[in-house]
Amino acid sequence: MTTKKIMVGKIPIGAGSPVAIQSMTNTKTRDVEATTAQIEALVEAGCELIRVSVPDDESVEALPALIKSATVPLIADIHFRADLAIKSIEAGVAKIRINPGNIGAREKVAAVVLAAKKAGVPIRIGVNSGSLSKTVRALDVPAAQKLVASALENISLLEELDFDNIVVSVKSSDVMETIEAYRSLAGQVDYPLHLGVTESGTRETGALRSAVGLGALLADGIGDTIRVSLAADPVEEIDVARQILQAVGARRFYPEVIACPTCARCEIDLFPLARELKDRLKSSGKPLKVAVMGCVVNGPGEAADADVGLAAGQGKGVIFRGGQAVKTVPEAEFLSALLAAVDEI
Amino acid sequence: MTTKKIMVGKIPIGAGSPVAIQSMTNTKTRDVEATTAQIEALVEAGCELIRVSVPDDESVEALPALIKSATVPLIADIHFRADLAIKSIEAGVAKIRINPGNIGAREKVAAVVLAAKKAGVPIRIGVNSGSLSKTVRALDVPAAQKLVASALENISLLEELDFDNIVVSVKSSDVMETIEAYRSLAGQVDYPLHLGVTESGTRETGALRSAVGLGALLADGIGDTIRVSLAADPVEEIDVARQILQAVGARRFYPEVIACPTCARCEIDLFPLARELKDRLKSSGKPLKVAVMGCVVNGPGEAADADVGLAAGQGKGVIFRGGQAVKTVPEAEFLSALLAAVDEI
């Protein structure tokens, strides 16, 4: 299931490269000041590739300034107008995203492909459940297969034009359709896949839906770059994307705080301790695994499996480091003892 | 992959029954008042099975009162002491959860099994990464296979005692280990599986980690009952569990609001509209699919695929119902027109 390597500016996608996190600005692209500010905020949060929508000539005119100030590659998102795609490439974007089906006649697509080829700029074929062609919508196949059919048709079109600098996405607003479509596509092409559940929903629901859809695919090794779509400030997408990648073991950004949900066996006030520890570790920048456990059932085991651990009992607890019990401390010293053990690593 | 059907009181688990949502109280079980209040809050939130920890005799003594007032089946969670398991069964719990490995000698397990058999009470074999036996921990196999080995060993023990009223779990605090362990186990036994990522973390992280782990399994048809473990009020686990089940299409609890993340093409203030609509629909109790979309790229397609939809443009938008565009309304009437369309269904 190894995919081809595609370069988006300095960022590699595919062939086992780290799964790149991307997002999209929702400012008016022609508003250079607002868009630059959002790009900076996204980069600060950890976004590695940023897409901007280019719906008009004023947006194209803003691109050089945006590209100049951005410290990550910018991608132009274009619909309907081939001329905007070509002008965006000429302006220096690192990649374009089109849905060839809505660019129009084959000559128009050919002109875009020629410009991309000349500039060494990859094209993402971005198929979405909401913008399938009438012909594809009318196919008598399951919804997921319509997405795949549309992607394969567009891939063929680009390949016939002797172009293979391609990334593909088949996003549905339905999580299961998304999973099915990507699984099917991954078995048929070796282009890197950009994963996303499209229009996934409001803040919390969108995060959970993306975690289910993207997580299921990433757990099977499918996906080379991801975007979590939230109906919220795009900056919030980055933390969710990181947490999904960390959960599947694809990348590690944060320390991991394993905390038991507590039950009647729990003898200490665990939640504030877990939260405090997580905040402190987050700012320390050490991506360690730390376990804080409230009783002797799973406590010693989890504490021993973590880099640093606490197995608490009544009023006191055992601190573990590197799998070894190192000392017993009273409850008042849990946090300081855990942080001291972290510092020693 | 059809599992055996197990009855937990009136709730069936397995054999294609709706995936039951469960949680666990974190009050002291012996505190009848506090535990009853938490059970009621969990039921109110939609919890269908509730586990209480039974670590001592006082907790056993509280069971009859808890069972009497609870409107859902209660499950006793027991470690170390066979006598507490037997007494809990005699007190009338609908299921017990044990980790046979820590109950002790075979005669003790046999006594528990005999009591369960007599009462027609199922046993969950609850294997956890934090409480594997020393022998299993020492096995030279991947971590996920240690969980599976422990489960299979415990299943054999119960089967040798001629008992098959069994539910099994193999929870790890590592998401990928959890996925791998359940996939492996699902291929080897036909007992219903209780899914969970153990000690999954603080509120938001735990929800995302559970969504990835449980979602990946449920998407493949693995899992008969689920528990989302959060280091938070257990009531918060229920909404997360429901959202995961809804995302994979296993059950439907909420209306689905498909909202685009907006971009430079968006002409309206979409997020407040999406949130308001979601709140109103949630209280209406109609689990419809509603799409609110900010532009003409994916708008008409998503709006037409939903039960009710809005494809907005500059200052006005088209309302869709049952796939058909029904009218064009000005921006000030978006919410009222969408709600009116919902009411007509």
Side-chain angles (χ1 to χ4, degrees):
Chain A
M1 215 184 295
T2 303
T3 51
K4 196 172 141 65
K5 186 195 268 187
I6 296 291
M7 294 303 298
V8 182
K10 66 191 172 184
I11 307 285
I13 292 179
S17 309
V19 178
I21 294 174
Q22 54 178 290
S23 181
M24 186 171 184
T25 53
N26 63 3
T27 49
K28 295 289 170 201
T29 305
R30 60 177 179 267
D31 182 342
V32 173
E33 198 179 335
T35 305
T36 298
Q38 199 172 54
I39 288 172
E40 282 171 6
L42 282 166
V43 171
E44 171 72 24
C47 189
E48 297 159 326
L49 293 169
I50 297 175
R51 186 158 42 114
V52 299
S53 184
V54 182
D56 48 35
D57 289 295
E58 289 164 295
S59 299
V60 170
E61 283 155 27
L63 288 176
L66 296 175
I67 293 167
K68 196 174 168 200
S69 68
T71 55
V72 301
L74 296 192
I75 301 162
D77 192 88
I78 290 133
H79 292 273
F80 309 120
R81 287 177 54 184
D83 65 314
L84 294 177
I86 295 167
K87 287 179 198 162
S88 296
I89 293 167
E90 289 168 355
V93 296
K95 179 181 165 196
I96 61 167
R97 178 267 168 131
I98 58 173
N99 188 332
N102 70 24
I103 289 292
R106 190 186 171 91
E107 310 84 74
K108 292 194 176 177
V109 176
V112 174
V113 166
L114 188 67
K117 208 170 179 176
K118 226 169 92 182
V121 164
I123 295 177
R124 170 158 70 96
I125 294 174
V127 175
N128 264 55
S129 58
S131 53
L132 294 170
S133 69
K134 274 184 188 156
T135 327
V136 168
R137 284 179 82 88
L139 291 175
D140 185 25
V141 297
Q145 289 307 317
K146 293 183 186 179
L147 292 164
V148 175
S150 178
L152 293 176
E153 184 188 315
N154 285 315
I155 290 169
S156 294
L157 175 59
L158 265 54
E159 286 176 343
E160 283 163 20
L161 294 165
D162 195 28
F163 188 83
D164 65 358
N165 197 8
I166 298 172
V167 177
V168 191
S169 64
V170 281
K171 302 185 185 181
S172 169
S173 56
D174 181 274
V175 175
M176 286 303 291
E177 265 175 48
T178 302
I179 294 173
E180 286 161 24
Y182 278 102
R183 282 184 176 167
S184 169
L185 190 62
Q188 298 179 66
V189 303
D190 68 351
Y191 294 114
L193 300 181
H194 162 123
L195 302 188
V197 174
T198 193
E199 294 101 30
S200 63
T202 49
R203 175 75 188 78
E204 199 202 350
T205 298
L208 290 174
R209 285 163 51 81
S210 291
V212 170
L214 276 51
L217 291 164
L218 291 163
D220 284 342
I222 296 172
D224 301 285
T225 177
I226 67 171
R227 192 231 170 154
V228 171
S229 297
L230 301 179
D233 183 336
V235 169
E236 298 197 46
E237 299 176 357
I238 310 309
D239 175 62
V240 176
R242 287 181 157 196
Q243 295 208 48
I244 293 171
L245 289 174
Q246 178 144 343
V248 296
R251 295 180 66 177
R252 180 169 271 277
F253 299 98
Y254 305 122
E256 205 161 300
V257 176
I258 306 294
C260 74
T262 78
C263 68
R265 292 189 301 267
C266 186
E267 303 286 0
I268 63 160
D269 194 9
L270 192 87
F271 301 160
L273 180 67
R275 276 193 302 269
E276 176 73 19
L277 192 65
K278 197 173 171 184
D279 289 345
R280 299 269 202 111
L281 282 166
K282 215 164 177 171
S283 54
S284 82
K286 288 186 189 177
L288 300 175
K289 182 171 173 178
V290 177
V292 287
M293 303 289 294
C295 85
V296 295
V297 172
N298 296 317
E302 288 292 348
D305 274 348
D307 296 309
V308 169
L310 164 72
Q314 216 155 1
K316 60 187 181 186
V318 180
I319 301 290
F320 288 74
R321 200 176 62 235
Q324 301 298 318
V326 289
K327 62 173 167 178
T328 300
V329 296
E331 185 165 355
E333 292 169 27
F334 283 171
L335 183 64
S336 59
L338 285 164
L339 291 173
V342 165
D343 282 342
E344 285 162 24
I345 290 185
Chain B
M1 216 183 294
T2 303
T3 51
K4 196 171 142 65
K5 186 195 264 187
I6 297 292
M7 293 304 298
V8 182
K10 64 189 176 187
I11 306 287
I13 291 180
S17 309
V19 177
I21 294 174
Q22 55 178 290
S23 182
M24 185 171 185
T25 54
N26 62 3
T27 49
K28 294 290 170 202
T29 306
R30 60 177 180 268
D31 182 342
V32 173
E33 197 178 337
T35 305
T36 299
Q38 197 172 55
I39 289 171
E40 281 171 6
L42 282 165
V43 171
E44 171 72 22
C47 190
E48 296 158 326
L49 293 168
I50 296 175
R51 186 157 44 112
V52 300
S53 184
V54 181
D56 48 36
D57 289 295
E58 289 164 296
S59 299
V60 170
E61 284 156 26
L63 287 176
L66 295 175
I67 292 166
K68 198 176 166 200
S69 69
T71 55
V72 301
L74 296 192
I75 302 162
D77 192 88
I78 290 134
H79 291 273
F80 310 120
R81 286 178 54 186
D83 66 314
L84 293 176
I86 295 166
K87 288 179 196 162
S88 295
I89 292 167
E90 290 168 354
V93 296
K95 179 180 164 194
I96 61 167
R97 178 267 168 130
I98 58 172
N99 188 332
N102 70 26
I103 289 292
R106 190 186 170 93
E107 311 85 74
K108 294 197 174 175
V109 176
V112 174
V113 166
L114 189 67
K117 209 170 179 175
K118 226 170 91 182
V121 164
I123 296 177
R124 169 159 69 96
I125 294 173
V127 175
N128 264 54
S129 57
S131 53
L132 293 171
S133 70
K134 273 186 188 153
T135 328
V136 169
R137 285 179 80 89
L139 292 176
D140 185 25
V141 296
Q145 289 308 318
K146 294 183 186 179
L147 293 163
V148 174
S150 177
L152 293 175
E153 184 187 315
N154 285 315
I155 290 169
S156 293
L157 176 59
L158 265 56
E159 286 177 340
E160 283 163 21
L161 295 164
D162 196 26
F163 188 85
D164 65 358
N165 198 9
I166 298 172
V167 177
V168 190
S169 63
V170 280
K171 302 185 185 182
S172 169
S173 56
D174 182 275
V175 175
M176 285 304 292
E177 263 175 49
T178 301
I179 294 173
E180 285 160 24
Y182 278 101
R183 282 185 176 166
S184 170
L185 190 63
Q188 297 179 66
V189 303
D190 68 351
Y191 295 114
L193 300 181
H194 162 122
L195 302 188
V197 174
T198 192
E199 296 102 28
S200 62
T202 49
R203 174 74 187 80
E204 200 205 347
T205 297
L208 288 175
R209 284 163 52 81
S210 291
V212 170
L214 277 51
L217 291 163
L218 291 163
D220 284 342
I222 296 173
D224 302 284
T225 177
I226 67 170
R227 190 230 172 157
V228 171
S229 297
L230 300 180
D233 182 336
V235 170
E236 299 198 48
E237 298 176 358
I238 310 310
D239 175 62
V240 176
R242 287 182 155 196
Q243 295 208 50
I244 293 171
L245 290 173
Q246 177 144 342
V248 297
R251 296 180 66 177
R252 178 170 273 276
F253 299 97
Y254 305 123
E256 205 160 298
V257 176
I258 306 293
C260 75
T262 78
C263 68
R265 291 190 300 268
C266 185
E267 303 287 358
I268 63 160
D269 195 10
L270 192 87
F271 301 161
L273 180 68
R275 278 193 300 269
E276 176 73 18
L277 193 65
K278 196 172 174 185
D279 290 344
R280 299 269 201 110
L281 282 166
K282 214 163 178 171
S283 54
S284 82
K286 289 188 189 175
L288 301 175
K289 182 171 174 180
V290 178
V292 286
M293 303 289 294
C295 84
V296 295
V297 172
N298 296 316
E302 288 292 348
D305 274 349
D307 296 309
V308 169
L310 164 71
Q314 216 156 1
K316 61 187 181 186
V318 180
I319 301 290
F320 287 74
R321 200 175 65 235
Q324 301 298 319
V326 288
K327 63 173 168 179
T328 300
V329 297
E331 185 166 355
E333 292 169 27
F334 283 171
L335 183 64
S336 58
L338 284 164
L339 291 173
V342 164
D343 282 342
E344 284 162 24
I345 291 189

